[in-house]
Amino acid sequence: MTDFFKDIAPIQFEGADSTNPMAFHHYNPEEVVMGKRMEDHLRFAIAYWHSFAWEGGDPFGGQTFERPWHPQTRMDMAKVKADAAFEMFDILGQPYFCWHDADVRPEGDSFAESLKNFEEIIDYFEEKMSTRKIKLLWGTANMFSHRRWMSGASTNPDPEVFAYSAATVKTCMDATKRLGGENYVLWGGREGYETLLNTDMGRELDHMGRFLNMVVDYKHKIGFEGTILVEPKPQEPSKHQYDFDAATCYGFLQKYGLENEVKLNLEQGHAILAGHSFEHEIATAAALGVLGSIDMNRNDYQSGWDTDQFPNNVPEVALSYYHILKAGGFTTGGTNFDAKLRRQSLDAEDLIAAHVGGMDICARGLKAAAAMIEDGGLEQALNERYAGWESDEAKAMLAGDLDSTFADVMSGKINPAPKSGRQEILENYVNRFV
């Protein structure tokens, strides 16, 4: 045991009337919502990188956190970090966690040494997981932080970097399967360009498509039953990343024959950077059949970069879960808190409280979303708005051609009158639940 979380008791559900900041007020894992336990709906996960690997820096300043496992360059410190992580998992009681390889092991002087360190810490994880209910939602490879990735990983102009990337992903997929991970994520942090003056975009996209096909082939080769996920992000650090948003990713998957093999891990902060709302990205992925999992956080609307703050806006969260529930809910995916403390929030208690608040916000959002679905008001409004398409005439038009439609309009039978979209009424409706 470490002393980092000393005197912080396991978090309990105390209900909405409680004033205890270190208790759940809305998240009750056993509460049944739409016929399913709340824990099974939300499938919470803690992000190892932001909670334990991040040191409190920002684009204008360095480390502010001083943790017992710093510096993170030695195996003994990696194990202290793991000890603290699993102590936090015990305190919060969430069912899952997630990691990048570089979060959990120190970088070695060679690929072989880094792999040795990685396998040692995976052994350590496996031992700790054997005595707990905690599971792995997904693993992934960090192919953006080290200087070798400065020009991308699978899209790098140097074929040796492509090879290093492939070997790195193989080791992370092996570890994910070994720990019973339910998904494997690829986030192309530097799969994009800073200037087209030195970029062959077509070649890079082809290499990225081939790389992802290699990943899918390896998934089947080793019998990994989880879902392969890619994570959209429009910019930062690259000027333009190839996985800009959900629609862009779907087009990419279609081009390279992967739309039936790969789904999306969507992040609220990335949606904002793309100029979208989170519910837009979720609804887009659901409509295209590629909704997989979510990273739950938020961005500062006044900042132009990815601030990764814990969620605190119930209406936004409720609409996000509304579209997730409409799509049938999560299967292998879940709600990963890809969120980090503010760099002034130095204490262990801050880290626990941030997750408690985030879990409560998601629970409130989920219950509001479920109530809206059970009430049926939004669905009824949609049915009424599109009711004309259920007529025999409209169905015949869709099955017809331009000439027949032109003839119908010219006959005078068709003279459309605008109808209200009732946006304000529907916004008021949503506010009744949140």
Side-chain angles (χ1 to χ4, degrees):
M1 298 291 290
T2 71
D3 290 331
F4 188 66
F5 293 110
K6 66 180 180 180
D7 301 325
I8 300 179
I11 305 300
Q12 304 293 327
F13 172 71
E14 295 185 4
D17 293 334
S18 171
T19 59
N20 180 4
M22 302 299 278
F24 294 125
H25 303 132
H26 301 278
Y27 176 60
N28 177 2
E30 302 301 325
E31 182 177 346
V32 175
V33 177
M34 291 180 61
K36 186 187 292 188
R37 293 171 64 250
M38 188 179 289
E39 180 179 89
D40 297 331
H41 270 299
L42 293 166
R43 294 167 61 86
F44 284 133
I46 289 176
Y48 206 95
W49 52 101
H50 282 334
S51 293
F52 304 103
W54 189 58
E55 296 179 341
D58 66 16
F60 306 100
Q63 180 175 357
T64 59
F65 298 162
E66 295 179 349
R67 306 305 199 200
W69 50 88
H70 294 161
Q72 302 184 102
T73 55
R74 307 194 323 251
M75 275 304 300
D76 60 336
M77 292 294 96
K79 290 183 177 180
V80 171
K81 179 164 57 174
D83 292 340
F86 279 85
E87 288 168 18
M88 178 170 157
F89 302 160
D90 292 342
I91 290 169
L92 288 169
Q94 89 291 345
Y96 294 100
F97 73 112
C98 304
W99 47 253
H100 302 79
D101 57 335
D103 309 325
V104 303
R105 56 97 176 116
E107 185 82 12
D109 292 331
S110 65
F111 181 87
E113 184 178 348
S114 292
L115 178 57
K116 178 179 178 295
N117 293 341
F118 184 49
E119 290 177 337
E120 184 176 342
I121 207 69
I122 293 301
D123 288 343
Y124 202 59
F125 281 1
E126 192 171 45
E127 179 183 342
K128 288 180 173 294
M129 292 171 69
S130 69
T131 60
R132 295 170 167 87
K133 74 169 190 176
I134 191 77
K135 295 179 288 186
L136 180 64
L137 187 65
W138 47 260
T140 188
N142 178 328
M143 297 191 295
F144 45 88
S145 294
H146 193 281
R147 65 192 298 269
R148 74 173 64 89
W149 315 117
M150 68 179 185
S151 300
S154 67
T155 62
N156 200 290
D158 184 348
E160 289 193 359
V161 178
F162 185 103
Y164 206 101
S165 305
T168 300
V169 168
K170 176 194 180 301
T171 64
C172 291
M173 290 182 72
D174 289 341
T176 299
K177 179 176 184 291
R178 178 180 164 190
L179 295 179
E182 299 188 17
N183 308 269
Y184 183 82
V185 171
L186 296 104
W187 176 60
R190 297 190 187 274
E191 308 291 41
Y193 65 82
E194 295 179 7
T195 175
L196 286 173
L197 297 174
N198 63 8
T199 301
D200 183 339
M201 186 188 295
R203 182 193 293 263
E204 291 195 356
L205 286 169
D206 284 346
H207 289 172
M208 189 170 160
R210 179 62 194 135
F211 189 91
L212 190 50
N213 268 286
M214 291 167 67
V215 169
V216 168
D217 289 345
Y218 189 66
K219 165 193 167 169
H220 293 304
K221 179 179 179 180
I222 64 174
F224 176 56
E225 296 181 356
T227 305
I228 302 297
L229 303 169
V230 295
E231 181 167 334
K233 186 177 183 180
Q235 60 199 26
E236 193 228 29
S238 298
K239 175 182 177 181
H240 184 113
Q241 289 174 214
Y242 297 138
D243 46 6
F244 185 88
D245 61 5
T248 304
C249 286
Y250 184 73
F252 174 87
L253 294 175
Q254 276 194 315
K255 179 177 181 179
Y256 296 101
L258 293 162
E259 69 272 22
N260 296 320
E261 292 278 3
V262 178
K263 295 186 184 297
L264 302 184
N265 183 61
L266 302 169
E267 179 181 308
Q268 197 262 11
H270 295 175
I272 293 172
L273 288 178
H276 303 311
S277 64
F278 198 22
E279 63 264 27
H280 166 86
E281 287 290 87
I282 292 169
T284 299
L288 296 172
V290 289
L291 176 60
S293 194
I294 64 170
D295 282 355
M296 180 59 79
N297 57 24
R298 63 185 169 97
N299 275 3
D300 187 313
Y301 288 105
Q302 281 75 51
S303 296
W305 52 287
D306 198 6
T307 55
D308 286 326
Q309 295 172 247
F310 280 87
N312 72 351
N313 187 315
V314 175
E316 285 184 345
V317 171
L319 289 173
S320 298
Y321 282 117
Y322 179 83
H323 289 285
I324 290 169
L325 291 176
K326 274 190 67 176
F330 294 123
T331 55
T332 63
T335 304
N336 174 48
F337 286 110
D338 190 2
K340 57 194 178 189
L341 297 176
R342 300 305 86 196
R343 65 200 302 264
Q344 300 174 60
S345 300
L346 305 177
D347 299 338
E349 186 178 55
D350 296 325
L351 187 56
I352 300 296
H355 283 87
V356 168
M359 294 163 82
D360 262 352
I361 289 291
C362 290
R364 290 180 67 188
L366 176 76
K367 288 190 284 188
M372 286 188 284
I373 286 176
E374 290 172 336
D375 180 80
L378 289 180
E379 196 65 25
Q380 180 181 346
L382 283 182
N383 291 338
E384 291 172 356
R385 191 174 190 208
Y386 292 91
W389 289 97
E390 300 303 317
S391 69
D392 291 340
E393 293 82 2
K395 292 176 181 178
M397 178 177 65
L398 287 178
D401 56 27
L402 288 183
D403 282 333
S404 61
T405 302
F406 173 79
D408 286 341
V409 174
M410 282 296 292
S411 72
K413 294 189 299 182
I414 295 176
N415 185 21
K419 298 177 182 178
S420 172
R422 297 165 56 87
Q423 179 173 334
E424 290 76 15
I425 290 174
L426 295 177
E427 289 171 343
N428 293 346
Y429 170 87
V430 170
N431 284 330
R432 285 169 41 200
F433 295 88
V434 298

